[in-house]
Amino acid sequence: MLDKIGIAKRIAREVRDGYYVNLGIGIPTLVANYVNPEIHVEFQSENGVLGMGPFPWEGEEDADVINAGKQTITTLPGASFFDSAMSFGMIRGRHVDLTILGAMEVSENGDIANWKIPGKMVKGMGGAMDLVASAENIIVAMMHTNKRGDSKLLKSCSLPLTGVGCVKKIVTNLAVLEVVPEGFQLLERAPGVTIKEIQAATDGNLIISNKVPEMSF
């Protein structure tokens, strides 16, 4: 079973040389720390940053340099800062190759709910709706179940939707799954996790091939 860092490390393997990548709040922000140093990647944040680096070491933070989640960040040589209008122009113009988001729920047809729980205080929409409407490739990073042990991979989302039919791949603490027309295709198992455990934690239709390898990093 993976922790949050393990999820981020596995997603980092999906990042390719030359990509422009937007990282959502939560687990996705950790991905920048684990990308292959031999490839060149531009991380974009909707608050107006292009060229983000990994998180700063303790004591080296600059409170004026933050991401969309108000976390302090580092910037790489050649990084640029701009206003939100230009930032969302990049997103809506489909100049972001990969978007990595957290989620509260994902449905078996790729719907995502990640911005609102009725009656509870949540940080809000941010740029999520623009990102899911514009990105060609969306990977979700999340825990497979909620704190009550209920599945977050569902036949249909119960929470207000952020986007419809947009999620391509999901990496959880239990598995890597791809959204296909029939449901959730199980691609990989987390270390020490059995297929039965993944089945028990998945409410949506789970498609299992003959061999499901354990994740590698």
Side-chain angles (χ1 to χ4, degrees), residues 202-215:
T202 307
D203 179 71
N205 187 38
L206 185 66
I207 304 157
I208 304 168
S209 57
N210 292 331
K211 289 187 177 181
V212 180
E214 197 170 272
M215 288 183 205

Side-chain angles (χ1 to χ4, degrees), residues 70-102:
K70 298 181 174 59
Q71 297 167 304
T72 54
I73 58 171
T74 62
T75 54
L76 301 176
S80 56
F81 300 89
F82 35 86
D83 61 25
S84 290
M86 182 174 289
S87 183
F88 279 91
M90 293 177 183
I91 293 167
R92 293 167 185 165
R94 299 181 182 270
H95 301 295
V96 175
D97 300 295
L98 172 63
T99 295
I100 303 169
L101 296 171

